[in-house]
Every structure is written in structure tokens, then in C-alpha cells.
């Protein structure tokens, strides 16, 4: 870790009080109430979470709220429950049966701009579909504990499949539909998954993403897959392999619509979700049943201040944790209407999001800073075409939001009347850990503000000593919370090393942060070899290993550098094998190669060729130097320069 990389950022003096009318109806109405509840949650977390869990349905109550054998936490020990039941029957029992659960629109638009495909499912209808799918999966041979891989577009059937898996205790592993075949293979193999659900294709910016073809390609690289269920979405031609592939409709249509939810142990695996770390291989983040369930329900309730008649829209893809926790599990447990959109934000025009908000009278809207910056660049004309007056709250997630984008969101979209919740969390945390409560917490643009109930964050130096206020350091979380990851699938050693060895006994986030004079947290970015491109997490090692898998590449080093639109962009420094010509064609070839291996989100923005990479005497690549070069020494349009690192003296110390 580079100590000097964590410098306190310039202080921002902007501060906004929550709108008065919002507080009057909010779940938490005053700062004093937040302070009191927060103090209780820290003083006696078990009593606090037992109280919160009382809002969920359990087939059998827990014997103990928390069992903490660091670094392994077990929550609601001895309890039996089912998350699918809590999203469906529990909501129906509360009188939400005929209320719209999912309000979906596909990407294709008619000539007047209205959507061609719209689906509305009530909670009762959703239950029927989930039961059919669950029975169908069982018929195909899926048993409790089997990992089911979902590689699907953003369609209602993806939610149905997740809830069906959860219902029968088959953990799901959702793979983002933008990932290539190689990423599918890696995840199938790590999860040892025999079942895949996919679609013929999905719509993205007017083009069909060939999901089934990618699965076919993956199946040529591994023989793990026994069954592939294929949803017909786009009607594009696909090849069906007899004995292995079945159409969704044929597999599920005449299955019974009754399927009792399995009574699962509180610590039964709910899902795996792969994310990048500082090694070359994505890790399977493991979340279990009861703790994740209670944590997503409660954070969604308080941070988005959810009420039954909310029309809530989170624009994330379900392929990321944001979609798992705040499209599916959190909102459905709060009985709201969840809006879901299949495609790109700028299709057919740059006002698609604002049109959706107007069409369905969206009340709560959750998106990413990178999207806000992209909209900002298109000007105020697009949002001004639409009536956005239904909006009551807006959220952001994925990376720090720069104050200019925050102000644009606040003024142009929220018309200065909506609180903005900047939510800090991670795939590993299961749910939001640091965020304002919308009715009470004054916000400061760029800060995720204060911790949620039960969360004890701290900023420390590398020996674990608390940093003084306003001094940057490592962000750790002192005690476990219900949504915390339970492990990295199949790799306890990596789990311990990654999260628990930096500061003994405390969860290490990998982020740098500072805490200001008001106890507000300011996230300062990653301190490890993880970069954030458009809010997506990418390991430098992952991209490097993709580069060196190209036959012409000898060595590669990848760094992130600041980018106005994507937050960070990728620069790759590459040495080629002898005799290979250095030119623009070669750059394009390498970019395409990375896209093919890791996905288009990993496409390097810049490739620079070097005779050799700068290394310390111990052979470690000097990333700090490369970062500096990528940040400051960029020569636009320069295509063939060979960086000459031979003139750089080689200091003995590692970075
Ligand atoms: C990393 C986690 C959690 C859902 C999306 C990303 C960064 C996330 C914020 C925020 C500043 C943020 C951190 C974190 N991050 N939210 N509100 N402010 N930084 O999940 O892919 O697991 O990435 O995203 O660096 O560690 P993820």
C-alpha cells in the first residue's frame, strides 16, 4: 500500500439539510432519533437486530442472534427461513398480493418513443411464476445446494429465476450479461455449477447480445454443464443441443404453480457473486440466508425510506450486487413496486431514463455517478422534456460522486426538493453500510455521510491506530453485521488474508477514507490493486493476465488514472515479444483481446508500449510511477512511442 496515496482531499463546505416535508413522514424523523437508535445498535447489536428481524418471517426462530468466531460470523443461529417466502408470501400476507411487484419495460421502442414490451406482475402473479420455475428446476434435477448459473438479460424472468432458486435452496450465481464466454467458464468452474439459465439474447442499444451463443462457447471449454434453460427473448437464431438445452417455456409452462418454500437454515448459502480482487482470478463472494435477508430489508426500508406505495427504480444491472440487494431482495421485502428496465440509458435517445420516471411516476430513483456524469454532458434539455415531479428521493452508488455531478443531480433531476442518499458499500458487505437517512442527515456532496445502524466504521493507520479527524487512512469496520460475506467460495485462506489480516480482527474494506469533524466519512478510493471504471470493479492483475495470454505480449502492467466520465480509466503498459511491430493495429488487437477475455468494461483506454517495465530491485513493478505517467504524462495521439524506462533509477524499496 502506498501511504502517500492517501492524502486528505480539499474540504468541501457545501451542506444541505433534508427537505422539511420529507422528515415529517419518514421512518426516522429526527437526528436525535437516529443517534439514539444508532447508539443502541452499537451497544447491544444482538438486541437491536433481533428487533429488526421481527419484521421478517421465520419458520423457526433463532437460538442465538450472533455467533462470532472471527472472521466467521453466523447470524440468527438455529433459525429457519426462506428469502423467497419473505419476498412473496410474506408480502401477500401483509395485503400486498394484488399490488404490482415488478413493472418491467424492454428496450425496443415504438416510433412514438413508447416501449414495445411492458410486463406488470403483481406479488401474487410473481409467486405463481416463481413456483412454476422452482418446480421446473427440480424436474431438471436441481437439488438443494446445487449452484445454478444465471446469465440473462434484465428481464422479469431473471428475478423469477433468482427467487425460484432461493425457494428451493439452490444458490444462484448471476453472471453479468456483458461478460464474455471466458468469464462464464471461469465462474462455472469455480462454482462447480451444472445448471445454466440463459436467453437467446438480450437487447442493448438496439443490438441483440448473443447470450446463448456465449453459453455455447463456454460449454465448449468445460463439460460441467448438464442442463441449459433458454428463455426466448429476442427471437434470434440459436442452436439447441439435444439432451442439454431446453426452452424456458417448455421446461416450466406446465409445472405446478404450487411450491412450498424450503425451510432453510439461517446460514444456508443464498448466492455466490463473483467480483474482482487484487489477484488475477475473480472471487466468489458468498452470502447466506437470514442475515442477508434482514440486512437488505432493513437498509432498503430506512435508507430509501420505502413505503408500500413507492414506485422504486434502481438502474443497476442484476449482474452486480446492487441489483441483487436493491432491485430484488431489499425492495421486494418491503412490498414496493420495483421498476426494471432492460436496456441502455441512451436508447433510442438520451431521455430514456427521464421518460421512464415520468411514465411510471417513479418516486425513488437509485443510479450511479458515472451515469449522472454522462447525462450531465448531454445537457439539461433531455430531463426538461419530462415531468419528474413524482421523484421524492434519489440515490447514488459505486464510486465517490464529484460535487459538480451531485449538484446537477440535485438541481436538474431532483429540482432541489429530493434528498440524495450517497450509499457506500461493497459486494462483500451485502448491503449499504454508510449513507444518510433521508429525513434527518444533512448531506455534504461527495460524502456518504454516516454509518447505518449496527455499523462501526473507523479510519486507521496501517498499524490499526485511529487516525485523527480529517486525516486519511484505511477504512475498516470493527464488528460484524448481518449482511457481511461469509467467505470466498472454496478459499478460506484468501478470505482471511484479503479482509482480516490487514488489521487483525477487523474487516478491511480495501478503501481509503477520512472522517471529518462531524463524523462524516469521505471515501478516497481503493488502496489495493483494484480500479473502478464507471463504478465497476476491476482487478489490475485480471487485465494483466488477459494481456499476457496474448501470444505477442511478453509482459504487462495495468494502472488506473482519473477520467472525467468513467471516474477511472485503464492504462496498460505492455512489452511485446521480439520482432512484433508496435503500431495502432497492435493496440486495437490487444484491446479486443482484453474485451474477449474479461469483457468490454475492462477495455483499456490507453495502451503504451515499453522496452521494459520499471521495476524495483526485487522485481516488483513500480505502479506508482506508471500511474503518474498515465495521469500526467499522457500524450494524446501519440501511438508508437516506446517508453524508455532504462533511464529511471531503480530504488531498492518496494512501493
Ligand atoms: C467499492 C465496492 C456496492 C455496490 C456497487 C459497487 C466503491 C461504492 C461508493 C460510494 C465512494 C464507493 C468503493 C467500494 N464505492 N460505493 N458511495 N462512494 N465509493 O460494489 O463493485 O463491490 O465495489 O466501490 O471503492 O470499496 P463493488
Amino acid at each position: 500500500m502506498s501511504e502517500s496515496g492517501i492524502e486528505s482531499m480539499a474540504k468541501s463546505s457545501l451542506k444541505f439539510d433534508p427537505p422539511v416535508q420529507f422528515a415529517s413522514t419518514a421512518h426516522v424523523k429526527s437526528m436525535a432519533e437516529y443517534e439514539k437508535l444508532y447508539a443502541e445498535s452499537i451497544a447491544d447489536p444482538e438486541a437491536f437486530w433481533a428487533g429488526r428481524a421481527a419484521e421478517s418471517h421465520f419458520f423457526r426462530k433463532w437460538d442465538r442472534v450472533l455467533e462470532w468466531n472471527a472472521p466467521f460470523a453466523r447470524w440468527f443461529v438455529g433459525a429457519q427461513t426462506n428469502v423467497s417466502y419473505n419476498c412473496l408470501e410474506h408480502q401477500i400476507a401483509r395485503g400486498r398480493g394484488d399490488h404490482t411487484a415488478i413493472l418491467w419495460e424492454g428496450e425496443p421502442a415504438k416510433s412514438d418513443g413508447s416501449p414495445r414490451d411492458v410486463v406488470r406482475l403483481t406479488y401474487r402473479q410473481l409467486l405463481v411464476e416463481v413456483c412454476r420455475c422452482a418446480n421446473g428446476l427440480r424436474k431438471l434435477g436441481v437439488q438443494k445446494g446445487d449452484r445454478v448459473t444465471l446469465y440473462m438479460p434484465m428481464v422479469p424472468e431473471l428475478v423469477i429465476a433468482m427467487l425460484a432458486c432461493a425457494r428451493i435452496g439452490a444458490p444462484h450465481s448471476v453472471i453479468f450479461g456483458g461478460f464474455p464466454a471466458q468469464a462464464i467458464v471461469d465462474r462455472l468452474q469455480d462454482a462447480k455449477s451444472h445448471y445454466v439459465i440463459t436467453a437467446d439474447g438480450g437487447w442493448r442499444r438496439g443490438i441483440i447480445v448473443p447470450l446463448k451463443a456465449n453459453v455455447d462457447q463456454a460449454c465448449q471449454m468445460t463439460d460441467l454443464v448438464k442442463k441449459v434453460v433458454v428463455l426466448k427473448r429476442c427471437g434470434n437464431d440459436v442452436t439447441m443441443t439435444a439432451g442439454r438445452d431446453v426452452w424456458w417455456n417448455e421446461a416450466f409452462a406446465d409445472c405446478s404453480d404450487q411450491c412450498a418454500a424450503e425451510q432453510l437454515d439461517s446460514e444456508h448459502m443464498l448466492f455466490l457473486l463473483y467480483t474482482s480482487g487484487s489477484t488475477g482470478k475473480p472471487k466468489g463472494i458468498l452470502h447466506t440466508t437470514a442475515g442477508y435477508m434482514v440486512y437488505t430489508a432493513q437498509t432498503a426500508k430506512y435508507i430509501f425510506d420505502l413505503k408500500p406505495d413507492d414506485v422504486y427504480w434502481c438502474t443497476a444491472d442484476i449482474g452486480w450486487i446492487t441489483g441483487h440487494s436493491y432491485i430484488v431482495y431489499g425492495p421486494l421485502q418491503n412490498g414496493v413496486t420495483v421498476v426494471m428496465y432492460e436496456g441502455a440509458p441512451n436508447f433510442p435517445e438520451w431521455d430514456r431514463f427521464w421518460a421512464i420516471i415520468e411514465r411510471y411516476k417513479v418516486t425513488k430513483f437509485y443510479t450511479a455517478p458515472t451515469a449522472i456524469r454522462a447525462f450531465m454532458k448531454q445537457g439539461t434539455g433531455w430531463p426538461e422534456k419530462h415531468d419528474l415531479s413524482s421523484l421524492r428521493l434519489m440515490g447514488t452508488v459505486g464510486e465517490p460522486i464529484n460535487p459538480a455531478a451531485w449538484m446537477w443531480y440535485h438541481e436538474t433531476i431532483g429540482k432541489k426538493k429530493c434528498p440524495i442518499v450517497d450509499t457506500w458499500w461493497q459486494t462483500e458487505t451485502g448491503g449499504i453500510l454508510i449513507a444518510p437517512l433521508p429525513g434527518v442527515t444533512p448531506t455534504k456532496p461527495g460524502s456518504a455521510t454516516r454509518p447505518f445502524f449496527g455499523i462501526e466504521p473507523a479510519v486507521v493507520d496501517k498499524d490499526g491506530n485511529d487516525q485523527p479527524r480529517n486525516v486519511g487512512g484505511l477504512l475498516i469496520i470493527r464488528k460484524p453485521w448481518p449482511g457481511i460475506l461469509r467467505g470466498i467460495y472454496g478459499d478460506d485462506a484468501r478470505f482471511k488474508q484479503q479482509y482480516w489480516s490487514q488489521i487483525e480482527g477487523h474487516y478491511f474494506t480495501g478503501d481509503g477514507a477520512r472522517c471529518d469533524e462531524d463524523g462524516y466519512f469521505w471515501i478516497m478510493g481503493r488502496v489495493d490493486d483494484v480500479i473502478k471504471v464507471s463504478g465497476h470493479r476491476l482487478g489490475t492483475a485480471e487485465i494483466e493476465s488477459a494481456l499476457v495470454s496474448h501470444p505477442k505480449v511478453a509482459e504487462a502492467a495495468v494502472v488506473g488514472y482519473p477520467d472525467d466520465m468513467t471516474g477511472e480509466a485503464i492504462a496498460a503498459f505492455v512489452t511485446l515479444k521480439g520482432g512484433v511491430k508496435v503500431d495502432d493495429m497492435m493496440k486495437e488487437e490487444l484491446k479486443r483481446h482484453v474485451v474477449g477475455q474479461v469483457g468490454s468494461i475492462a477495455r483499456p483506454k490507453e495502451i503504451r508500449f515499453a522496452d521494459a517495465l520499471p521495476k524495483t530491485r526485487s522485481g516488483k513493478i513500480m505502479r506508482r510511477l506508471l500511474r503518474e505517467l498515465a495521469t500526467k504524462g499522457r500524450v494524446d495521439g501519440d501511438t508508437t512511442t516506446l517508453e524508455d524506462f532504462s533511464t529511471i533509477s531503480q530504488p531498492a524499496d518496494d512501493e
Side-chain angles (χ1 to χ4, degrees), residues 1 3 6 458-467 472-476 478 500-506 508:
M1 184 206 85
E3 207 61 20
I6 311 177
V459 177
V460 299
D461 67 17
K462 63 183 192 325
D463 302 317
N465 305 308
D466 276 309
Q467 293 288 51
L474 306 173
L475 180 65
I476 61 164
R478 291 214 182 276
W500 304 96
S501 65
Q502 193 87 21
I503 311 294
E504 196 63 37
H506 303 282
F508 174 52

Side-chain angles (χ1 to χ4, degrees), residues 11-53:
K11 279 192 215 166
S12 157
S13 54
L14 291 169
K15 196 167 176 177
F16 294 85
D17 284 327
V20 186
Q21 70 279 19
F22 197 97
S24 62
T25 61
H27 288 302
V28 177
K29 296 183 174 58
S30 70
M31 202 49 168
E33 197 183 337
Y34 162 75
E35 300 279 16
K36 179 174 170 284
L37 283 167
Y38 180 74
E40 284 170 15
S41 74
I42 297 299
D44 190 351
E46 296 194 37
F48 178 82
W49 288 111
R52 298 291 84 224

Side-chain angles (χ1 to χ4, degrees), residues 322 397-400 422-427 511 526 532 537:
T322 308
V397 61
E399 56 178 314
D422 176 346
T423 62
W424 178 87
W425 58 298
Q426 310 179 296
T427 306
D511 279 355
R526 303 287 307 191
K532 279 254 149 181
R537 195 159 141 180

Side-chain angles (χ1 to χ4, degrees), residues 22 27 96 99-101 123 300-301 304-313 331 334-339 360-365 390-393:
F22 197 97
H27 288 302
R96 315 295 299 153
H99 195 76
T100 303
Y123 276 87
K301 171 179 169 175
F304 302 117
D305 200 52
L306 294 183
K307 307 284 167 51
D309 49 356
D310 266 320
V311 178
Y312 163 92
W313 183 26
N334 280 275
V336 301
T337 294
V338 175
V339 171
Y360 307 116
K361 302 197 168 35
V362 170
T363 57
K364 309 275 166 80
F365 178 67
S390 57
L391 285 177
R392 298 206 62 233
L393 171 150

Side-chain angles (χ1 to χ4, degrees), residues 397-564:
V397 61
E399 56 178 314
I401 182 165
N402 49 308
W406 197 99
M407 288 306 297
W408 189 85
Y409 200 30
H410 172 65
E411 289 169 1
T412 309
I413 307 303
K415 316 291 180 198
K416 301 186 185 169
K417 69 176 177 62
C418 299
I420 295 179
V421 290
D422 176 346
T423 62
W424 178 87
W425 58 298
Q426 310 179 296
T427 306
E428 293 87 342
T429 68
I432 299 165
L433 300 196
I434 303 178
L437 289 188
V440 307
T441 316
T443 48
K444 302 184 191 183
S447 169
T449 78
R450 301 186 53 184
F452 190 68
F453 303 130
I455 305 300
E456 216 181 323
V459 177
V460 299
D461 67 17
K462 63 183 192 325
D463 302 317
N465 305 308
D466 276 309
Q467 293 288 51
R469 290 289 160 109
N470 281 315
V471 176
L474 306 173
L475 180 65
I476 61 164
I477 313 294
R478 291 214 182 276
K479 292 199 189 99
W481 61 97
I484 192 172
L485 79 161
R486 301 302 197 265
I488 294 175
Y489 189 63
D491 201 344
D492 279 354
R494 190 172 174 194
F495 172 62
K496 289 178 185 156
Q497 196 276 327
Q498 186 84 48
Y499 305 107
W500 304 96
S501 65
Q502 193 87 21
I503 311 294
E504 196 63 37
H506 303 282
Y507 174 79
F508 174 52
T509 64
D511 279 355
R514 73 179 162 92
C515 182
D516 76 8
E517 61 285 358
D518 297 326
Y520 280 44
F521 287 84
W522 296 78
I523 307 301
M524 292 152 64
R526 303 287 307 191
V527 296
D528 54 10
D529 291 327
V530 166
I531 44 189
K532 279 254 149 181
V533 180
S534 300
H536 299 310
R537 195 159 141 180
L538 291 160
T540 52
E542 219 176 317
I543 306 167
E544 284 161 5
S545 79
L547 282 165
V548 297
S549 75
H550 188 284
K552 292 175 188 161
V553 172
E555 212 177 8
V558 164
V559 294
Y561 65 96
D563 182 273
D564 283 348

Side-chain angles (χ1 to χ4, degrees), residues 47-119:
F48 178 82
W49 288 111
R52 298 291 84 224
E55 293 184 357
S56 298
H57 171 272
F58 285 84
F59 295 111
R60 183 187 188 278
K61 227 188 138 177
W62 52 89
D63 303 316
R64 258 191 93 174
V65 177
L66 170 65
E67 200 180 279
W68 176 226
N69 293 314
F72 297 101
R74 300 178 70 210
W75 283 88
F76 306 108
V77 183
Q80 285 179 350
T81 185
N82 187 295
V83 193
S84 178
Y85 186 99
N86 271 274
C87 292
L88 300 166
E89 286 97 325
H90 189 48
Q91 302 310 318
I92 294 169
R94 284 171 168 180
R96 315 295 299 153
D98 297 320
H99 195 76
T100 303
I102 292 178
L103 176 38
W104 172 83
E105 92 172 37
E107 189 190 73
K110 298 185 197 158
S111 54
D112 65 356
S114 64
R116 192 191 70 189
D117 310 319
V118 175
V119 172

Side-chain angles (χ1 to χ4, degrees), residues 197-464:
I197 307 182
T198 189
D200 49 1
W203 289 105
R204 183 82 192 173
R205 214 162 276 125
I207 289 168
I208 296 172
V209 182
L211 298 170
K212 173 62 165 69
N214 291 347
V215 169
D216 291 342
Q217 210 185 322
C219 288
Q220 280 167 11
M221 296 185 255
T222 169
D223 52 12
L224 270 172
V225 178
K226 292 184 196 155
K227 291 283 172 203
V228 179
V229 179
V230 187
L231 176 79
K232 187 169 270 187
R233 162 68 189 127
C234 298
N236 51 310
D237 281 340
V238 296
T239 320
M240 297 292 278
T241 300
R244 187 194 71 190
D245 300 352
V246 280
W247 288 104
W248 172 290
N249 274 341
E250 288 163 20
F252 302 151
D254 34 84
C255 289
S256 157
D257 60 7
Q258 306 281 315
C259 175
E262 282 273 343
Q263 309 198 358
L264 300 171
D265 184 84
S266 59
E267 287 297 335
H268 186 75
M269 194 199 311
L270 177 63
F271 65 84
L272 292 175
L273 184 58
Y274 285 82
T275 190
S276 300
S278 41
T279 73
K281 222 168 73 89
K283 46 194 177 185
I285 303 301
L286 196 162
H287 285 286
T288 60
T289 297
Y292 176 84
M293 177 179 92
V294 170
Y295 197 71
T296 51
Q298 295 298 319
T299 47
K301 171 179 169 175
Y302 285 106
I303 296 165
F304 302 117
D305 200 52
L306 294 183
K307 307 284 167 51
D309 49 356
D310 266 320
V311 178
Y312 163 92
W313 183 26
C314 165
T315 69
D317 193 285
I318 291 179
W320 314 113
I321 190 69
T322 308
H324 282 61
S325 301
Y326 299 112
I327 295 178
V328 184
Y329 293 115
L332 291 179
Q333 285 189 79
N334 280 275
V336 301
T337 294
V338 175
V339 171
M340 217 177 136
Y341 168 59
E342 176 184 34
N346 57 348
F347 190 89
E349 297 283 3
W350 272 100
D351 63 343
R352 187 63 182 263
F353 276 19
W354 321 129
I356 291 175
I357 291 175
E358 179 175 26
R359 198 150 38 240
Y360 307 116
K361 302 197 168 35
V362 170
T363 57
K364 309 275 166 80
F365 178 67
Y366 190 27
T367 196
T370 190
I372 298 168
R373 288 192 296 266
F375 289 126
M376 204 173 142
K377 201 175 158 199
Q378 302 302 317
T380 55
W382 294 110
E384 276 162 7
K385 281 174 63 180
H386 296 277
D387 177 5
L388 305 178
S389 61
S390 57
L391 285 177
R392 298 206 62 233
L393 171 150
M394 309 182 304
T396 73
V397 61
E399 56 178 314
I401 182 165
N402 49 308
W406 197 99
M407 288 306 297
W408 189 85
Y409 200 30
H410 172 65
E411 289 169 1
T412 309
I413 307 303
K415 316 291 180 198
K416 301 186 185 169
K417 69 176 177 62
C418 299
I420 295 179
V421 290
D422 176 346
T423 62
W424 178 87
W425 58 298
Q426 310 179 296
T427 306
E428 293 87 342
T429 68
I432 299 165
L433 300 196
I434 303 178
L437 289 188
V440 307
T441 316
T443 48
K444 302 184 191 183
S447 169
T449 78
R450 301 186 53 184
F452 190 68
F453 303 130
I455 305 300
E456 216 181 323
V459 177
V460 299
D461 67 17
K462 63 183 192 325
D463 302 317

